[in-house]
Amino acid sequence: MVKNITHALDDRIEEMDRTYQKVLGNLAANFACATLKVKSRYFHRIGAAGRGTLRLYENIPRFPDHHIFSSGKCYPVIIRHSNCLSSDDDARLDPRGAAIRILTDEAESNTSLLDLTLKTGKAFHARTIGDFATWLVCGAAAQEEMVKHAPHVREAMWDSLRKADSYAELHYYSNICRLFRFKDGNEMYVKFKLRPFDEMINEDSGKVEPTGILPPETGAMPRDENDTRPLLFLNDDFKRRVNSPQNLRYVLQLQLRSVPTDEYEREAALDCTKPWDEKEFPYIEVGEITIDQVLTNEESASLEFNPFLRCHEVDVIRATSCSQSASLDHGRSVVYSICQHLRNNKPLPEAWKNFLDHSDVKVDLTGCPMAKVIEKKDTQRVTLARPWYHNLWMITEAGFVGSRAVAMPGVIVQKEGSLSALTLAMKEEIVN
């Protein structure tokens, strides 16, 4: 096959195998449709944001010399707190988020050095992008059946849920690793954590005790009938704390782990459904964040966090298969980029447009500026119901995947506007 080199390619997509591209393409197309419909974020739609500084400590014990996270350095930062699903009432139980943008230390620069997306809860409920996509198309009965065989997934979901009185009184975790390269040439896996400045606020702040197998749909969960607080009281509390004489302060922590030489051990280390042992890999406090300026609602809504921002010293761990642990972080960066462009009415690069075109989900881009740039090819002449290469794919690969999908209770095999189970149910451990 010969590549069309007349337009720029996205190496994140090019290095994926065929199944990974198919699964991620369907996922991206579904989120793209939702984004075009609501013209806003799908998750973490509302929140509060502020600007301040990250000041690294002069002496950081047990932390190797690093070019960016170097002793005494100071960086401008932006923090955006948010609710995961609740878009109109802060009193609903919900996972809470903290997205951190670290800007370069150059004067008057607004260039992002690193974007981090953290949330409440020490783990995520899906190990891979394939697991995440499968979870989305499964009904509640199938999800409950899955967690019976993976109790740590159930624990991750309940642990992420928080009853919040203040965004500033919660602990936030990255769940996902980055690759740090130190000045001595050593490489280590790193996870991030943001904790309240007040050490008396422990990790269980706002924790919700399980009342069933899985949490209910939090986006529609009503508040307690005796709760009389304003709908957006977390936003109000954030602004009050930022504008106070003490401002709003946090402590940034890192968790380090040597890169395993064995592939199986690397997969286990990158598994975001299982937290690292804090006794074996303790958190290291590297600096303090002070937020002293509130961003407007418009400024907060327009923020675009890019989890794929990387440099030599802080790199993203890549994946080639949707069954690899690193695929969740690698794959979501593509979905983030596409949805952010659509949300802000920016033209899609042709590589992303073609990526969506090859999915099983029809994305109507007639309201997108890109539709005026790319013309559709004439497809009136048809010789087969499916192109020959689709038939070949069905014979060689989908038969196996489809047989696995039948074994999954509650999976939608084919439904318009849904992810196809034929491309999602490829993971043996999910079936088992």
Side-chain angles (χ1 to χ4, degrees):
M1 298 180 67
V2 180
K3 288 184 178 178
N4 180 354
I5 59 173
T6 60
H7 59 83
L9 300 173
D10 190 322
D11 64 340
R12 293 174 294 180
I13 299 173
E14 292 298 309
E15 64 191 11
M16 299 174 182
D17 66 24
R18 181 169 52 186
T19 303
Y20 190 0
Q21 289 186 358
K22 192 67 175 179
V23 170
L24 188 65
N26 287 345
L27 188 65
N30 272 276
F31 280 115
C33 290
T35 300
L36 288 170
K37 183 177 181 179
V38 301
K39 301 185 186 306
S40 181
R41 290 177 170 87
Y42 188 81
F43 295 115
H44 299 279
R45 189 174 301 173
I46 66 168
R51 185 185 296 269
T53 57
L54 164 63
R55 188 174 301 278
L56 298 170
Y57 295 134
E58 293 290 344
N59 181 30
I60 308 176
R62 298 176 285 112
F63 189 72
D65 198 8
H66 191 265
H67 178 69
I68 295 175
F69 288 87
S70 181
S71 300
K73 278 201 170 184
C74 185
Y75 296 100
V77 296
I78 293 173
I79 282 185
R80 182 181 186 268
H81 285 298
S82 57
N83 307 321
C84 179
L85 289 174
S86 178
S87 59
D88 60 354
D89 188 354
D90 289 339
R92 292 185 176 130
L93 303 182
D94 212 1
R96 316 292 173 168
I100 306 174
R101 167 162 293 171
I102 302 176
L103 304 169
T104 61
D105 55 357
E106 300 172 5
E108 303 300 325
S109 173
N110 203 32
T111 304
S112 182
L113 184 66
L114 183 65
D115 283 357
L116 303 172
T117 51
L118 294 76
K119 69 168 189 63
T120 50
K122 295 182 178 181
F124 192 61
H125 66 273
R127 181 177 69 86
T128 70
I129 201 74
D131 293 352
F132 179 68
T134 301
W135 185 271
L136 289 180
V137 299
C138 286
Q143 292 173 351
E144 291 183 1
E145 189 66 27
M146 289 179 185
V147 300
K148 289 180 182 178
H149 305 284
H152 65 285
V153 173
R154 174 182 182 268
E155 183 180 347
M157 295 204 70
W158 276 106
D159 189 45
S160 298
L161 213 59
R162 284 294 186 273
K163 179 180 180 181
D165 295 318
S166 172
Y167 285 131
E169 295 181 356
L170 299 173
H171 292 243
Y172 301 90
Y173 305 81
S174 66
N175 297 164
I176 292 168
C177 299
R178 287 286 185 266
L179 180 66
F180 266 32
R181 295 186 177 96
F182 296 94
K183 289 184 178 180
D184 60 5
N186 190 28
E187 295 184 353
M188 300 187 80
Y189 287 157
V190 178
K191 288 186 178 181
F192 297 84
K193 179 187 173 185
L194 189 71
R195 74 161 177 84
F197 184 77
D198 185 353
E199 293 182 306
M200 299 301 293
I201 302 174
N202 62 38
E203 295 178 340
D204 290 336
S205 174
K207 188 172 183 178
V208 177
E209 293 300 326
T211 56
I213 297 177
L214 287 173
E217 291 292 335
T218 58
M221 186 188 304
R223 66 161 57 198
D224 188 290
E225 60 182 9
N226 296 321
D227 193 336
T228 59
R229 292 174 296 182
L231 292 176
L232 303 182
F233 66 89
L234 292 179
N235 193 317
D236 297 338
D237 174 81
F238 177 85
K239 293 178 180 178
R240 179 181 61 79
R241 290 174 183 259
V242 172
N243 291 325
S244 70
Q246 297 79 24
N247 303 128
L248 181 53
R249 301 169 70 186
Y250 310 83
V251 173
L252 181 65
Q253 298 176 308
L254 302 181
Q255 198 176 17
L256 302 178
R257 180 172 183 166
S258 298
V259 179
T261 56
D262 179 75
E263 183 178 355
Y264 177 81
E265 292 180 359
R266 285 198 300 273
E267 279 294 300
L270 297 174
D271 183 354
C272 60
T273 66
K274 298 177 180 178
W276 292 349
D277 187 333
E278 294 182 25
K279 293 182 179 178
E280 186 177 2
F281 310 107
Y283 283 103
I284 300 172
E285 299 192 343
V286 298
E288 295 178 8
I289 292 178
T290 302
I291 303 299
D292 56 13
Q293 179 184 344
V294 175
L295 298 185
T296 66
N297 292 337
E298 292 74 17
E299 290 172 328
S300 174
S302 65
L303 289 172
E304 296 182 0
F305 291 91
N306 181 5
F308 204 71
L309 272 180
R310 69 194 196 280
C311 57
H312 176 74
E313 293 81 10
V314 184
D315 209 347
V316 174
I317 302 167
R318 313 288 277 256
T320 58
S321 166
C322 64
S323 64
Q324 293 174 325
S325 296
S327 65
L328 188 66
D329 193 30
H330 180 198
R332 69 167 180 158
S333 69
V334 178
V335 180
Y336 266 55
S337 299
I338 291 173
C339 292
Q340 286 172 352
H341 272 65
L342 294 177
R343 187 178 82 239
N344 293 312
N345 207 32
K346 294 180 180 179
L348 285 182
E350 191 168 349
W352 298 350
K353 174 68 164 52
N354 291 336
F355 185 56
L356 295 178
D357 284 345
H358 283 83
S359 74
D360 295 331
V361 181
K362 175 63 178 176
V363 183
D364 183 6
L365 295 175
T366 54
C368 173
M370 200 63 218
K372 301 176 182 179
V373 179
I374 299 178
E375 296 182 358
K376 288 279 187 181
K377 295 181 179 179
D378 185 8
T379 57
Q380 292 181 352
R381 184 178 178 181
V382 179
T383 57
L384 292 172
R386 284 191 296 262
W388 65 268
Y389 48 87
H390 283 188
N391 285 306
L392 178 62
W393 179 84
M394 292 291 289
I395 294 171
T396 59
E397 201 167 58
F400 166 75
V401 175
S403 68
R404 307 299 292 183
V406 173
M408 292 187 65
V411 175
I412 302 171
V413 174
Q414 185 66 46
K415 180 179 179 183
E416 184 178 357
S418 299
L419 298 165
S420 170
L422 296 180
T423 58
L424 297 179
M426 73 295 291
K427 289 197 53 56
E428 186 168 353
E429 59 264 36
I430 289 295
V431 177
N432 293 337

